[in-house]
């Protein structure tokens, strides 16, 4: 694994500086700009650490048209950001976590007015948010035909505290697809 993903053995006896790197990507629609902003935050953290290893958490915030991509392609974004951490030096920055706390920029009401199918999808997403106790019928039907071991894993992912996060991720991916595939949406 890349050295930035693990604490290097040589740093066990040095001091470490913990830092949350909050990066505002509001209004950003270009991936290279997100990477540039994160790179600047990393450089600043390393510079201010005064030769100490920075153990950092990257938090991306703000409403951006890249919200769906950040959720949908989280592993690719993680690889990109870990690569930027490597650029800081082999023992300069360790990334503990990357948190996506962005929001979509799409007007959901405008999306729903576009056509009947989009309205149905948006309505079902809203209903799932309002009624978190029961699974949507389509998901229940799908679970009924799955093998027991797959079904139990899917139900575990869908239940408890994790359900809200799963719903938010699904909503972001669907809204991103609807917003970017069906004409101009602002």
């Amino acid at each position: 694994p890349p050295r930035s993903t693990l604490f290097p053995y040589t740093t066990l006896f040095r001091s470490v500086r913990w830092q949350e790197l909050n990066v505002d990507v509001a209004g950003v629609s270009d991936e290279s700009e997100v990477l540039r902003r994160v790179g600047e935050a990393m450089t600043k953290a390393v510079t201010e650490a005064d030769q100490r290893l920075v153990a950092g958490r990257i938090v991306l915030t703000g409403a951006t048209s890249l919200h769906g991509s950040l959720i949908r392609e989280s592993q690719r974004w993680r690889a990109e950001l870990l690569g930027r951490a490597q650029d800081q030096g082999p023992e300069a920055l360790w990334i503990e976590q990357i948190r996506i706390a962005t929001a979509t920029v799409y007007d959901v009401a405008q999306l729903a007015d576009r056509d009947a199918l989009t309205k149905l999808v948006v309505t079902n997403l809203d209903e799932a948010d309002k009624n978190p106790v029961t699974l949507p019928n389509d998901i229940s039907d799908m679970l009924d035909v799955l093998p027991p071991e797959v079904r139990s894993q899917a139900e575990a992912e869908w239940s408890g505290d994790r359900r809200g996060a799963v719903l938010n991720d699904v909503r972001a991916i669907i809204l991103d697809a609807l917003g970017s595939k069906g004409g101009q949406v602002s």
Side-chain angles (χ1 to χ4, degrees), residues 22-186:
N22 291 297
V23 181
D24 182 11
V25 295
V28 175
S29 59
D30 184 33
E31 291 185 8
S32 63
E33 178 62 14
V34 172
L35 296 171
R36 187 191 67 73
R37 290 183 184 193
V38 172
E40 282 181 356
M42 289 176 176
T43 299
K44 182 178 180 204
V46 169
T47 300
E48 293 174 352
D50 194 32
Q51 302 293 318
R52 293 176 287 173
L53 171 71
V54 175
R57 175 180 298 159
I58 299 170
V59 181
L60 300 177
T61 62
T64 175
S65 60
L66 294 172
H67 176 70
S69 171
L70 290 165
I71 301 293
R72 183 180 59 253
E73 301 174 55
S74 62
Q75 293 304 314
R76 180 181 66 83
W77 280 98
R78 178 174 178 71
E80 291 274 0
L81 298 178
L82 290 176
R84 298 292 165 134
Q86 278 287 314
D87 292 344
Q88 301 300 317
E91 295 183 11
L93 179 62
W94 174 76
I95 303 300
E96 174 259 349
Q97 181 182 29
I98 299 167
R99 187 176 322 147
I100 308 302
T102 56
T104 186
V105 294
Y106 302 116
D107 181 343
V108 178
Q110 186 179 358
L111 281 175
D113 287 343
R114 192 170 63 203
D115 59 58
L117 180 57
T118 304
K119 183 174 186 139
L120 179 65
V121 170
V122 170
T123 301
N124 283 326
L125 287 172
D126 288 343
E127 189 59 38
D129 279 345
K130 292 176 189 170
N131 191 2
V133 176
T134 61
L135 292 172
N137 290 335
D138 292 341
I139 293 176
S140 293
D141 293 345
M142 180 195 70
L143 289 174
D144 288 340
V145 298
L146 291 175
E149 61 278 1
V150 175
R151 179 186 175 133
S152 64
Q153 183 179 7
E155 286 175 333
E157 185 74 18
W158 188 256
S159 66
D161 295 340
R162 191 69 191 117
R163 181 186 168 126
V166 170
L167 271 174
N168 286 337
D169 289 353
V170 168
R171 182 180 179 86
I173 291 167
I174 291 172
L175 289 175
D176 180 61
L178 290 173
S180 63
K181 305 286 188 273
Q184 296 292 66
V185 179
S186 36

